[in-house]
Amino acid sequence: MSENSKPDVQSNPLATEPINKLILRFSVPSIISMLVGAIYNIVDQIYIGHGIGVLGIAATNVAFPLTIICTAIALLLGVGAAANFNLSLGAGKKERAGHFIGTAFGLIAFIGVAVGAASLMFIRPMLHLFGATPDIMPYALPYTRIIALGVPFHIFSIAASHLIRADGSPKFSMSIMLAGAIFNVVFDPIFLFVFDMGIEGIAWATTLGLILSSAIGLYYLVKKFNTVRIRKRFLRPHLSYITGIFALGVAPCFNQLAMTVVQVTLNNVLRHYGALSDYGSEIPLAAVGVISKVNVLFMAVIIGIGQGCQPINSFNYGAHNYARVKTTYRRAVAGATLVSAVAFITFQLFPEQVVAIFGSGSPEYVRFAVRYMRIYMFVTFANGVQPVTSNFFTSIGRAKLGVLMSLTRQVIFLLPLIFTLPIFLGIDGVMYAGPLADTTTLILAIYLVRREFARMTELESLQG
């Protein structure tokens, strides 16, 4: 079959199976994979809160931007390659699809090692930039050194899970992350309490779990990848394929990088305005660290829904089945909104119970954490739309709109509000920045999707 020959795409289940069934088939493993990734941080926080205390929690919060950066790079390469792979398959270009997988393989290995080495070389200034105070630094340094050793494996495991899902194996994709998470959950208490390794034990459990996940992912990519046979020539880097991967991976990457910028800014704003308040600097840093991890857990479900729909959207858009693309988006948003509503009720009615999961603290710590959760997360019921929409645009090859949606909440709206509102409201300004940014992001998402649907309807009419 030549590069540009058109196969019978209707023989592919992505083009024929009921959409609800496909969304469940691809999204459930994706959600579990995302939840498992969040569990790495959640479990660490719980054990650190009970075994080390508030300064330990604050230390992991300070180190968290490095984790977000790794995830951003993994999404750049994994989502970018997966979207191009499925779009190429939908258009009948199997050779081109294979080149995207092979190119991604080399980029993942090279960039992972480079980022890990840079993190170790510049660890102290990096942590200071991320918001570490003198009291937090003795905990943050040993923890982050070990986490930095796992950076290449962190990037590889997440990126590989996207490539494997694109190959039509969502359950195996899920197993990659699940294996590492189980290892982490089992060995966190062993290293912390049995071997008395302190915060370093938590970091080792995470890093070793990532190594296990990477080993399983590597096995699949080398031995079991089945849609396209990965040949040696696919591994040679070509600028056109690198550019294609970056173009469609940049939206989820920017979304994660924007989270890093916001997290670093938030840490420094909290450190400054916390020192001017009755709470001090450490209490807001620790409390917001806990809430950000809870938010990551909730968003993992939402992002899992969006990422699970990627192969469906990409293949059908490449095959010009626009009606299936629109239906997939609508149902993904409906599912994400249902999850968001449950999260909203939890955050508003049970904030004390959520905070208590991560250990006890002073009355001031609990009071700040509860108030922050209720205000900052007030528009959670609508937060499912933005990530699903950003992933939707990326999956259909509309890279610029994907980037725009990925930047709206974090950079365009939230970041300026975090800077400006505390000038007038003190540390409370940080809390009110969240719902304001969420509301404006929702309005923009609705407008852009309606316009895109109208464009696809036009394309349908031209097809006759």
Side-chain angles (χ1 to χ4, degrees):
M1 183 179 289
S2 68
E3 167 70 17
N4 295 312
S5 62
K6 187 80 172 175
D8 180 14
V9 297
Q10 294 305 319
S11 65
N12 193 300
L14 292 172
T16 58
E17 284 190 10
I19 289 175
N20 284 351
K21 182 179 177 181
L22 282 172
I23 291 176
L24 285 173
R25 177 185 163 197
F26 282 89
S27 289
V28 169
S30 178
I31 289 168
I32 293 173
S33 296
M34 292 299 300
L35 285 173
V36 164
I39 283 170
Y40 277 111
N41 296 298
I42 294 290
V43 171
D44 287 357
Q45 289 286 81
I46 292 172
Y47 282 121
I48 289 171
H50 288 281
I52 296 172
V54 170
L55 288 178
I57 293 176
T60 60
N61 182 38
V62 165
F64 192 54
L66 177 60
T67 299
I68 302 175
I69 290 170
C70 292
T71 303
I73 295 169
L75 294 178
L76 171 69
L77 304 176
V79 172
N84 276 291
F85 176 78
N86 289 124
L87 283 167
S88 298
L89 285 182
K93 300 176 180 179
K94 292 188 74 171
E95 181 86 3
R96 179 176 173 82
H99 276 290
F100 279 116
I101 295 297
T103 301
F105 200 103
L107 288 173
I108 291 163
F110 175 77
I111 295 176
V113 172
V115 173
S119 301
L120 287 169
M121 289 174 62
F122 303 105
I123 188 167
R124 190 176 285 272
M126 178 181 71
L127 288 173
H128 183 74
L129 175 67
F130 290 170
T133 67
D135 289 339
I136 293 170
M137 190 68 81
Y139 295 89
L141 268 175
Y143 177 83
T144 310
R145 279 197 185 101
I146 298 165
I147 293 297
L149 293 174
V151 160
F153 305 101
H154 187 146
I155 293 172
F156 184 87
S157 60
I158 294 176
S161 71
H162 286 278
L163 301 182
I164 292 167
R165 186 184 306 115
D167 189 46
S169 300
K171 290 182 180 178
F172 199 101
S173 172
M174 172 188 68
S175 70
I176 292 175
M177 305 304 294
L178 191 59
I182 291 172
F183 183 96
N184 190 40
V185 169
V186 170
F187 282 92
D188 260 346
I190 293 174
F191 289 164
L192 179 61
F193 299 115
V194 177
F195 294 140
D196 196 24
M197 295 173 67
I199 201 167
E200 292 172 89
I202 298 292
W204 274 119
T206 298
T207 296
L208 292 173
L210 291 169
I211 292 173
L212 176 61
S213 294
S214 295
I216 298 172
L218 182 62
Y219 165 75
Y220 183 97
L221 292 174
V222 172
K223 298 290 187 180
K224 294 179 68 67
F225 205 87
N226 53 50
T227 306
V228 175
R229 185 177 176 185
I230 300 178
R231 304 178 184 275
K232 287 184 180 179
R233 68 177 182 273
F234 294 163
L235 300 175
R236 289 196 296 269
H238 292 275
L239 183 59
S240 61
Y241 298 114
I242 294 173
T243 303
I245 289 170
F246 284 3
L248 295 189
V250 72
C253 173
F254 274 15
N255 190 49
Q256 292 291 319
L257 290 178
M259 287 174 61
T260 305
V261 172
V262 168
Q263 187 72 43
V264 171
T265 304
L266 194 58
N267 287 348
N268 284 284
V269 169
L270 289 169
R271 182 173 62 180
H272 175 73
Y273 286 98
L276 301 177
S277 71
D278 295 335
Y279 300 108
S281 295
E282 280 72 28
I283 283 177
L285 280 170
V288 172
V290 164
I291 293 164
S292 69
K293 301 301 187 301
V294 174
N295 190 47
V296 165
L297 190 65
F298 150 63
M299 290 303 293
V301 180
I302 303 300
I303 294 171
I305 292 172
Q307 290 181 354
C309 293
Q310 177 267 309
I312 310 168
N313 285 327
S314 295
F315 186 91
N316 284 289
Y317 192 86
H320 309 303
N321 293 332
Y322 302 118
R324 284 178 69 83
V325 174
K326 289 189 280 188
T327 301
T328 300
Y329 172 81
R330 290 191 186 102
R331 293 179 185 176
V333 166
T337 302
L338 179 62
V339 173
S340 300
V342 172
F344 170 78
I345 293 169
T346 302
F347 296 154
Q348 294 303 312
L349 298 184
F350 310 107
E352 296 95 339
Q353 291 83 349
V354 173
V355 172
I357 293 172
F358 296 87
S360 59
S362 66
E364 290 80 11
Y365 165 77
V366 175
R367 185 168 66 251
F368 180 87
V370 167
R371 189 159 183 266
Y372 184 93
M373 183 177 289
R374 281 188 169 138
I375 296 174
Y376 191 82
M377 312 292 280
F378 187 72
V379 188
T380 298
F381 58 85
N383 279 1
V385 176
Q386 183 263 342
V388 170
T389 302
S390 177
N391 195 279
F392 163 73
F393 284 127
T394 297
S395 67
I396 64 172
R398 302 280 281 169
K400 291 181 180 178
L401 289 176
V403 171
L404 176 62
M405 278 310 307
S406 70
L407 294 179
T408 48
R409 182 187 186 273
Q410 302 289 344
V411 174
I412 298 173
F413 299 134
L414 183 58
L415 201 58
L417 289 169
I418 288 174
F419 273 119
T420 55
L421 290 184
I423 296 173
F424 306 101
L425 302 174
I427 201 166
D428 284 0
V430 176
M431 304 183 191
Y432 290 103
L436 287 173
D438 292 337
T439 302
T440 47
T441 298
L442 175 65
I443 293 169
L444 180 62
I446 292 171
Y447 166 74
L448 290 177
V449 169
R450 291 185 65 180
R451 192 178 69 174
E452 186 63 29
F453 275 22
R455 189 183 73 87
M456 282 194 278
T457 301
E458 250 183 74
L459 292 173
E460 285 176 312
S461 65
L462 291 175
Q463 286 180 268

